[in-house]
Amino acid sequence: MKVKNYYVGFVLILFGIATALSQEKAVSGTVSDQAGLPLPGATVLIKGTATGTSTDFDGKYTINANQGETLVISFVGYTTLEVTVGASNTINVTMQEDTQALEEVVVTAQGIRREKKALGYAVSTVKSESIEQRADSDVARVLSGKVAGVNITASNGMSGSSTNIIIRGYSSVTQSNQPLFVVDGVPFDSGTNTQTSFFDGSTESSRFLDLDPNSIESVSVLKGLSATVLYGSQGRNGVILITTKSASSGNVTKKTEVSITQSLFLADAILPDYQNNYGGGFHQGFGFFFSNWGPRFDRTDDDGIANAGQYVGDAANGNAILQHPFNYIGDTSLIAGYENLLTQPYEYKPYDGVEDFFRQGTVTTTSINIRGGSDKVNFNANYGRTEDNGITRANKVTRNALSLGGNAKLSNNFSVSGVFNFTRTDYKSPPNIASGGSGAASASAGGSGVFIDVMYTPRSVDLTNIPFEAADGRSVYYRSANDIQNPYWTLKHAKTTQQTDRFNGNLSLIYDLNDWLNVSYRAGIDTYTELNTYGQDKGGVAGDPTGIFRTIAVRNTIWNHDIIFNADKDLSEDLNLKVILGANSNRIVYSQDGLESTGQLAFGILKHYNFTTNSAVNSFSGLNIAYDSEANRLGVYMDATLGYKDYVYLNLVGRNDWSSTLETDNNSLFYPGASISFIPTAAFDNLSGNILNYLKLRVGYGSSAGFPDPYFTRNVLGLTARSFVNNNGTVVSSNSVSNTLGNPNLKPETVTEFEIGMDSRLFKALNLNVSLYKKKTKDLITSQTLDNATGFTNTLVNIGEIESKGVEVDFDLDVIKSTQSDGFKFNLAGNFSANESLVTDLADGTDNIALTDLVVGTAANYAVEGRPFGVILGSSILRDANGDRVVGNDGFYLVDNSLSELGDPNPDWTAALIPTFRYKNFTLSANVQYRQGGDIYSTTANALLGRGVVDYDNPINREANYILPGVDSNGAPNNVAITSTNLGFDNFFAGSIAELAIYDGTTIRLQELSLAYSMPESILKNTPFGSLSLTLSGQNLWYKAVNFDGDLNYDTNSSSSGVGNGQGIDFITGPSSRRYGISVKASF
Amino acid sequence: MKNIFKKLNVIILLTIGIIINGCETTSLTVQDSPNALNPSTADVDFFLNNIQQGLAAFITGYEGSGFDGMSEFGMEATRMLAAINGNTYRSISDPGDFDEVWATAYSNVLEDIKAMNAVALPAEQYTHVAIGEIVESYIMMTLVDFFGDVPYSEALQGNEGIFNPIVDSGASIYEAADALLVDAIENLNKTEIALPTTDLYYNGDESKWIKAANTMRLKLYLQTRLVNSSQSTSVINSLVSGGNLIMNSGDDFQFQWSTNSSAPDSRHPYFDKNLDGQGPDSDFIMANFYMDLLANEYSEPDPRIRYYFYRQVGDFSGSNVVTNSCSTQNKPAWYGPDDNFCYVPDTNGLNGYWGWDHLRGDGIPPHQQFVTMFGVYPIGGPYDDDSFRNISGSTAVSEGLMGAGITPILLGSYTNFMLAEAALTLGTTGDARTYLEEGMRESINKVMLFGQTLATGPTVPTSTDIDDYVSDVLDIYDNGSDTDKLRVIVQQYFVALWGNGIEAYNTYRRTGQPDNLQPAARVADPGTYVRSNWYPQTATDSNSNLVQKADVSTPVFWDTNPPGFVH
């Protein structure tokens, strides 16, 4: 097969060329496979020219050609055929399945299509079938488990919350480790515009939420650096290349096709199994407490409940009756209007308030796609609408996406193509905030949160029926001091919204200079405005009691220009050279502004006019709301591939970047790459046989750069216009040296990667791909936390080195193949990834670097020399010289306040198995994932168990005393007895000992299960439908974190620290959800 | 081919034209942040404003943050406020609790003093410089008092690349602090180009700043009397004879907060934390010991008690195992006959002082509507006129002086008590008894004056009440041994110090008085007393030359008292 023609053919398909020449005649025919079935979409082109077409739905084609010319007919997975045009006007061909499969064409950097076999690096492709009609509207979460080496973590089960994506481990300490999204060839901002520290709440969405999974044609994941060099520094964390259906319009037939997808999914919260034996209280005594260490419900414990001051008698069913908690509310003005409740019996029994607090979520999705065209013009239009009502009441995501793409072949060898996408995403949710199990985790956290005081509601609290609103609107709850905001009040009166209008698109112009050289210019724009609001009515308990409303408008624009020369020439019979030379300019302009108001006037109205005081400062972060930044980057790049006889390919790449975020002396970096692909099965005829059908060996080296965010090289001066107002009303302003120390000598960080791999096909049934890589980052750009005694809080420095190495395996095995198209088939695909990121060097004098904002007194992720990236450090139980745990005079464990390593949050390995069964028109498929290891600091587990609402696997006998195993300060065995409450609450939960909240995260998960039925053509023949299929599917259907106490039903795939470099840190992130439903797809 | 290149040229030109359409797209020189000022625009007065506010924050914390300032730690260790974080001294605080106080001291205030001086000295703005010196001296002394050896000589040099500053001995820092005060007085006596535009302490009165500096030297030399008594004696004598000390409330060194509740919240931080919606902050639960000291130590209640505390209930009828878990427990065996447990008795007729015992690390019960709250002095809360309102709810924001409280730093009464101690222990100039009486009267007057707009009706102490109280105290003083006399002086100093835990914590470790503080409630032996505190977590995590202590038993340099001297 001739590579050149294959490639050119694709170019032609893309730009639909048909040049009329005078002596031509129309040749037509049918392209079919061995079984005689038509092959739609096969390429037919005239050898040595830029003229070609593709077959329609019935495998038919028509092309104008001269007698004597050669038609080259190709189709992915089949051996390319060449047929000379003779006298006949009809040429029917039968394609043979290519024994050397995998000669597929993949989209690589800068949208360049390459045969997979010519690549010296790994590219994983996920097709639309695996993405569309899914229950999750977040494309990243849909990709979970589908690509080896890609690790995806949701912030929580809230619809629209942010998602963290890490490809091949971490390569940077404080720079982003998030991959670059490229949509239809243009960088797409996938950032999460976090407005405050994660402990103030992390409800912001990741901006790839703006992508409708149903509009995606294919996703290519470029994992290694040798694959991403052309994208420059932005590509150093891997690139997710998305081709939308609108952009792939070049592949369509001329017949107009309309397809419609309609889905309905339901979502259920996955909650702990609460224990039903004990209610609220402490030391077996009842109280309207926040802890659940009270008396038994069944009253077999010496009838502790009858001793309670609130006890008034017994119900007919034997349960104790208590006075309603409102009898004890200190501020009696709160219960005005609820006086009738005071005399009502309040039964002491377990209530299912938490279950009732969540609802069944619904997700409806509609997607309409229209494609069509003529000889010279093709188009695709897509409309998608998703409405996702989350499991948390008041949480909703609505997304409307419109896109239009097309291409046209102009006269004089010009082609033009473009794609325009518009998305409006409305997201609303109650605020979520990190919690350690008692209100907000951080004492300096700013507001309220919907999950913080819900999950561990004592069993005897009737969350559902206790009124949550006082007559004047204030929050009211069961506690006498009313010091906890009622979660229902939070739902109703606290909210965040984010409304995004996003436009992204590109326009490209290609000029074919001759049959081996073209030049293209592509301009891309990605711009969005994001309107954020945060508000809470007055009368709350958490956050500002006078009410708060904050609006922040964000505008982000990426301008991207590329000019690319693309040459493809056969140098000789055996040598082919492909060269790409390009220049790129990328400009990112970010701007935000807004207002914060406090002092609400009319209750319930969150508008700035309804507040007494306005401020330009975000009171949660203490920072000015307004923020502007611009970053420009220029790059030139080269990519040359020399192919010899279709079995050896040598690829050399290089790029030089200049960034505006560094001072002139340090702002330029050149980084090269090289790779070789060798196909022994093609080189040695006798190698290929029934056992080994295809083998490719590849080796690659790549490098990249990391540039810092803007404005870290120079010192700035803080100005607080209103820092104090004295008793006379005089406003005092102040200057302060910025706590961030500017570093004029900051350099880019450099990342290098060495990768070897193998792609193979065995027994004509098994595709097996293996990659091994070793990645090293030097001169890490690090936000180093400084001892404040230096005069500064942090600075950006280049210190240290991280080394990641790993292995990725993916395979695809036809276990049962059928010769008949409707026979029983069983395919088993899967992937395996193991990655170890090690911090190999930190600067002298630096013991560790915190990777996220710290919540004082809790565990966090750190970089420590010689240890895996992100190890969890925190306080531990004090141990004596013998290693024995030391117990204090009070019988409680003593805390060791020095930082100790508590765990490694990186999973040892992860794997997924994807079995697919096909029979007749049914397809049954699943995605089962396994995660080995990866420690988690879980305050969810700690709080639910320690507060006594969920039982340990080995439940604490609450009616017994305990002596903690350990020694006293003299080394003698501890003999101080403590109560079960002391054990659970004081030691495991409230003891400030982070070590006790560390769990191993090994998890097995049924991530996806789907059953699809497509209507056979025989039935469809007499209908207007071209195709009709029905799919039942579910996501996150079942999981088990084997080392967590079972009743917790804890989902390890969540992270409180949101998007960033934190992992395995859970501050009551909220429950995850199980989604399932039905989807119908029809085309006309 | 020629034609091709012609077309090519057009495309290249077109492309380059679009790329470089305005150099902003390709400009590589955009390193200056548009979001902050350039350091060259620094304003000396604005720096000084931040320094002045920073000092108050260092002592009493920030609004809306978990950071309560230095004073609160000192009050917990001396039973002025309840220590509830744990059952032992080891757990009285966590290292992370000190992060913000450290940050405020160094990267906020001291770094700004350094930056201000760089501009103010050449500009001959000597008053600015002097104020900075006084603030720096106070902060460094206090850091030594709480932590022992801390960074100083290598501190504030992050921009010279010193990221791991070594610690200096407390003694050397005290020496430097004294030199700063001497230099400050010199600078205040110079003629400056311009006075500060805003002086939140003394409204530009340099003579008062001189008194503050002198009084701070008195504090310094009293503090070091155990390590160098002869020098302390001579310096204190010279300060007394100089006559330039803060002796009455007109010269008090204090920060005045306002009622402004937002943009920015300028109220006393304790007010915000206790009376602004979420109920009282658990860092500020009243200590039974201290309330008992005012209610029952003498044969009548202290005249200041209704100004200091607000009782939400008139008795303990709301007390049960739920609202007050110690209510069903027996007094611990290790408590002496004079130690109260769980409740403050109504010996002198005042009931309902609902607080917490020392080192009782229990979870916080739903007691917020019962517990005793801060009164009008010094945080600007309500006056206790027996109205027994529930002020723990969100409506409490309008209580009392609505947060227009003060942060007391060095008051006239403090000077008198310091001089009383010096006269008694060092034999310095003056009569200890006279200073004691003057200190008491000065404090009572100040407190009553502070709350006079709220204090009306029969509960307000009469001058007879005050005289009775003063003579009662003096009687005990007169009839006691030297140890008894010192106890009386320090007890009275403790009462006058309400709101300032720094001097209380220092005085307790220096004198061992009052020697009748309430024992720990949970265990007989709560471990060695907190002779100095954990270093801040972030600092030890970040600075390889600052090694976390093994425990909290190491005394600071001026504390030569034997182990077990304080408990």
Side-chain angles (χ1 to χ4, degrees), chain A residues 517-599:
Chain A
L517 179 65
N518 69 39
V519 56
S520 63
Y521 164 70
R522 184 171 58 220
I525 184 171
D526 171 25
T527 182
Y528 61 78
T529 55
E530 186 183 88
L531 300 178
N532 298 277
T533 72
Y534 177 97
Q536 178 171 305
D537 290 324
K538 65 180 173 183
V541 175
D544 196 321
T546 69
I548 183 168
F549 185 57
R550 181 168 61 236
T551 51
I552 300 176
V554 171
R555 194 175 80 161
N556 188 74
T557 306
I558 304 177
W559 278 108
N560 196 72
H561 304 272
D562 274 287
I563 178 162
I564 301 173
F565 288 88
N566 195 340
D568 182 346
K569 189 158 178 63
D570 286 335
L571 301 175
S572 73
E573 185 82 345
D574 296 330
L575 277 179
N576 171 275
L577 180 66
K578 293 181 173 60
V579 177
I580 292 162
L581 276 173
N584 165 257
S585 136
N586 181 285
R587 172 174 170 79
I588 303 173
V589 185
Y590 179 89
S591 178
Q592 69 171 47
D593 204 352
L595 192 65
E596 179 175 300
S597 297
T598 51

Side-chain angles (χ1 to χ4, degrees), chain A residues 703-746:
Chain A
S703 55
S704 188
F707 292 98
D709 290 335
Y711 315 132
F712 279 105
T713 59
R714 296 183 186 179
N715 275 333
V716 297
L717 179 69
L719 172 71
T720 309
R722 296 174 69 93
S723 67
F724 188 74
V725 176
N726 75 10
N727 262 340
N728 305 325
T730 306
V731 176
V732 176
S733 306
S734 67
N735 267 161
S736 185
V737 176
S738 167
N739 282 337
T740 299
L741 176 64
N743 179 359
N745 301 317
L746 202 61

Side-chain angles (χ1 to χ4, degrees), chain A residues 483 541 662 725 787 789 889, chain B residues 31 102 156 258 263 278 368 525:
Chain A
D483 51 353
V541 175
L662 291 171
V725 176
D787 177 359
N889 295 337
Chain B
Q31 285 85 8
W102 192 264
L156 313 178
S258 79
Q278 301 195 27
Q368 283 86 336
D525 176 12

Side-chain angles (χ1 to χ4, degrees), chain B residues 166-177:
Chain B
I166 56 160
V167 296
D168 297 283
S169 74
S172 69
I173 295 170
Y174 253 61
E175 262 176 53

Side-chain angles (χ1 to χ4, degrees), chain B residues 393-411:
Chain B
S394 58
T395 51
V397 291
S398 53
E399 286 286 347
L401 297 179
M402 298 199 292
I406 58 164
T407 292
I409 305 171
L410 289 172
L411 306 183

Side-chain angles (χ1 to χ4, degrees), chain B residues 268-349:
Chain B
H268 194 292
Y270 294 6
F271 184 91
D272 171 56
K273 284 166 187 175
N274 289 283
L275 294 162
D276 203 359
Q278 301 195 27
D281 186 323
S282 59
D283 288 346
F284 294 98
I285 295 177
M286 295 300 155
N288 284 334
F289 169 81
Y290 192 69
M291 293 191 293
D292 183 56
L293 176 64
L294 274 92
N296 302 315
E297 182 71 16
Y298 306 102
S299 52
E300 58 281 294
D302 190 295
R304 289 158 285 192
I305 192 166
R306 289 172 180 277
Y307 297 82
Y308 281 13
F309 311 116
Y310 186 87
R311 288 167 298 162
Q312 299 189 94
V313 291
D315 57 43
F316 294 101
S317 56
S319 176
N320 57 42
V321 71
V322 172
T323 57
N324 197 4
S325 60
C326 60
S327 64
T328 55
Q329 293 165 2
N330 294 324
K331 184 166 162 174
W334 57 88
Y335 270 46
D338 295 334
D339 292 324
N340 297 308
F341 176 73
C342 203
Y343 297 106
V344 177
D346 61 347
T347 317
N348 281 335

